[in-house]
Amino acid sequence: YMVSAAPIFSDTGMLRGTTLLFNDISELKRLEKMRKDFVANVSHELKTPLTSIRGFSETLLDGAKEVPELRDQFLDIIQKEATRMQMLVEDLLELSRLEREDFHLEFTPVQLNQLVEEVCLVLSQKAEQKSIHLESRHDGEVVLQADMNRIKQVILNLVANAINYSPEGSQVEIAVEKRPDGSYLIVKDNGIGIAPKEVGRIFERFYRVDKARSRNSGGTGLGLAIVKHIVDLHHATIQVDSVEGEGTTFTIKFPSA
Ligand code: ADP
């Protein structure tokens, strides 16, 4: 604890007592540690692609540019690494916007089932590369008061993860359901699953169960942190049910007004 003291005076200026203020610095320390870890993570995530871009461009300048196969291969790597940095910076900016005190969503009527179809189209190529079947199902139209682009981002992040953490040839199911207590968005995969001790941490910034796998699949490590913020800002809830080696289901519930 951090203790600070201040005297209390009466109207006539006589000393009447003292105020003691106890601050729980363990909480402050925890926040400070989180901030430091975050800065260290961001620096590391940016440094890795930068080192690679620098190395390959130097090798090109040192002569590799004269060998067509090497030149094409190295330029390809440079472009991929630059894209990775761009995605990371975009996710960081989005996260910092979502965390601002004065941030507000742009609410309009949103057709949830239509957004799901749009996301399936955007991710169809990614799914095809792993022969993953994207199956969407809904019973009729479900309309929400919501921030359309941000809900689209949520669906995109969840379905991209479902593809990333599933084996070739498996199936990803996206369902939109209207129930008496609210509207539901369910993303279900038959992938690698998440161990019980990890489930509680996956919404933390840069928390990854398997770092190498996440990087290789193109993740920034911020996808679920962004999802959680957007869900909270909509006063919705998100639930994860996962069995290691069997699969994972994310369920978002938008309560009826
Ligand atoms: P990343 O860019 O690493 O995918 P996310 O914030 O989207 O970052 O997810 C955090 C971690 O949660 C992932 O690295 C992965 O370990 C785990 N995860 C997320 N979605 C799934 C899923 N559908 N199946 C298994 N693990 C998942």
Side-chain angles (χ1 to χ4, degrees):
Y1 284 100
M2 191 173 70
V3 183
S4 45
I8 304 171
F9 295 106
S10 69
D11 296 344
T12 56
M14 299 276 284
L15 183 64
R16 289 186 49 207
T18 321
T19 309
L20 285 182
L21 186 67
F22 293 88
N23 265 320
D24 185 347
I25 52 171
S26 61
E27 175 62 8
L28 291 177
K29 276 207 170 133
R30 195 183 66 82
L31 289 174
E32 179 60 9
K33 183 179 180 307
M34 266 177 62
R35 194 190 61 79
K36 282 185 178 156
D37 287 350
F38 180 64
V39 173
N41 275 322
V42 170
S43 312
H44 178 75
E45 295 294 329
L46 287 172
K47 198 176 160 186
T48 315
L50 264 182
T51 305
S52 160
I53 288 171
R54 185 140 179 231
F56 283 104
S57 55
E58 269 169 21
T59 315
L60 278 170
L61 289 170
D62 284 348
K65 67 174 183 298
E66 312 302 342
V67 187
E69 308 86 76
L70 285 184
R71 186 193 58 207
D72 291 355
Q73 191 194 340
F74 291 179
L75 283 172
D76 203 50
I77 296 173
I78 289 172
Q79 201 202 30
K80 285 211 174 81
E81 294 297 310
T83 305
R84 163 189 285 293
M85 285 181 70
Q86 189 182 1
M87 279 169 48
L88 179 62
V89 171
E90 274 166 12
D91 275 0
L92 283 168
L93 285 172
E94 174 68 353
L95 204 56
S96 90
R97 272 192 293 269
L98 294 171
E99 285 178 350
R100 283 175 63 120
E101 297 280 338
D102 59 351
F103 175 78
H104 56 263
L105 296 167
E106 289 193 28
F107 283 101
T108 56
V110 169
Q111 289 193 11
L112 203 50
N113 36 295
Q114 193 189 319
L115 278 192
V116 168
E117 295 310 322
E118 284 173 32
V119 169
C120 286
L121 200 62
V122 172
L123 291 176
S124 58
Q125 215 189 340
K126 185 182 171 76
E128 262 167 41
Q129 281 165 5
K130 288 180 83 175
S131 310
I132 286 177
H133 181 62
L134 292 184
E135 169 130 337
S136 65
R137 104 189 132 68
H138 54 88
D139 37 41
E141 256 177 27
V142 174
V143 182
L144 295 176
Q145 262 318 100
D147 188 316
M148 184 168 70
N149 289 324
R150 294 205 153 86
I151 294 301
K152 192 169 173 184
Q153 187 69 59
V154 164
I155 307 171
L156 198 78
N157 290 2
L158 292 180
V159 179
N161 278 348
I163 297 171
N164 285 341
Y165 301 105
S166 289
E168 299 227 345
S170 61
Q171 175 156 324
V172 171
E173 220 180 278
I174 308 127
V176 172
E177 288 176 17
K178 183 112 197 135
R179 296 185 203 160
D181 60 340
S183 303
Y184 287 76
L185 171 77
I186 303 156
V187 178
K188 180 177 188 298
D189 66 53
N190 303 301
I192 61 173
I194 306 162
K197 67 176 196 325
E198 317 263 16
V199 173
R201 303 201 59 191
I202 58 171
F203 293 101
E204 290 175 22
R205 302 177 294 190
F206 294 119
Y207 188 81
R208 290 152 161 154
V209 177
D210 179 343
K211 285 201 191 316
R213 176 165 188 148
S214 161
R215 289 226 178 78
N216 286 338
S217 61
T220 61
L222 297 174
L224 286 183
I226 290 174
V227 164
K228 184 71 168 65
H229 273 288
I230 296 174
V231 165
D232 287 349
L233 287 165
H234 281 85
H235 306 294
T237 55
I238 185 163
Q239 183 186 325
V240 193
D241 296 288
S242 191
V243 179
E244 249 185 313
E246 285 186 22
T248 306
T249 303
F250 285 89
T251 307
I252 298 181
K253 175 187 171 192
F254 299 91
S256 16

